[in-house]
Amino acid sequence: MFNFDDANRKSKEAVDTALRTYSDTARGFQAIAAEAAEYSKKSFQDAVTHFETLAGAKSFEAVFELQTSYVKSSYENFVSEATKLGEMYADLAKFAYKPYEAPIAAAVAKTGRQAPPATPAAA
């Protein structure tokens, strides 16, 4: 028989979980945005400094060496930042999914179906 008290309690729990998850997800996106903005600011400052250094170079060889060094360090910084942002996105996804993991597993168990894998298989 349908119990309204249980339905009300479960509905409240679901809404509370959703609101907590949305709030935590918003904080995660704010952290990612702040990290991206900080990287952009630093990258721009590095480019301005590099251009000023290039303007003072005395020979083509010095310009070539400065440019090579700048491109190499810029690439390394970009790869490092992209890796860091990728990890932040992955952590955010895991954290956002966590509250729903147990209810979904319980719902799947009730249906008698096999639960989908937690991580997608490599293609």
Side-chain angles (χ1 to χ4, degrees), residues 27-42:
R27 277 195 294 273
F29 279 122
Q30 286 174 341
I32 290 169
E35 180 66 32
E38 185 63 32
Y39 170 75
S40 295
K41 181 179 174 183
K42 183 184 178 313

Side-chain angles (χ1 to χ4, degrees), residues 99-122:
Y100 301 104
E101 195 171 15
I104 290 173
V108 170
K110 281 184 181 180
T111 62
R113 295 183 182 166
Q114 192 175 33
T119 57

Side-chain angles (χ1 to χ4, degrees), residues 16 19 21 29 41 58 64 72 80 85 92 110 118 122:
D16 288 345
L19 290 175
T21 300
F29 279 122
K41 181 179 174 183
K58 303 284 186 210
F64 187 77
K72 182 180 178 185
S80 172
L85 287 174
L92 176 62
K110 281 184 181 180

Side-chain angles (χ1 to χ4, degrees), residues 4-16 110:
F4 285 103
D5 290 334
D6 286 343
N8 188 25
R9 183 180 47 78
K10 287 184 182 191
S11 175
K12 184 181 180 321
E13 288 174 4
V15 169
D16 288 345
K110 281 184 181 180

Side-chain angles (χ1 to χ4, degrees), residues 8 18 25 33 42 46 48-49 56 66-67 76 79 84 97 101:
N8 188 25
T25 301
K42 183 184 178 313
D46 289 349
V48 169
T49 303
L66 286 170
Q67 185 65 18
E76 289 171 352
V79 170
K84 183 175 183 179
Y97 177 70
E101 195 171 15

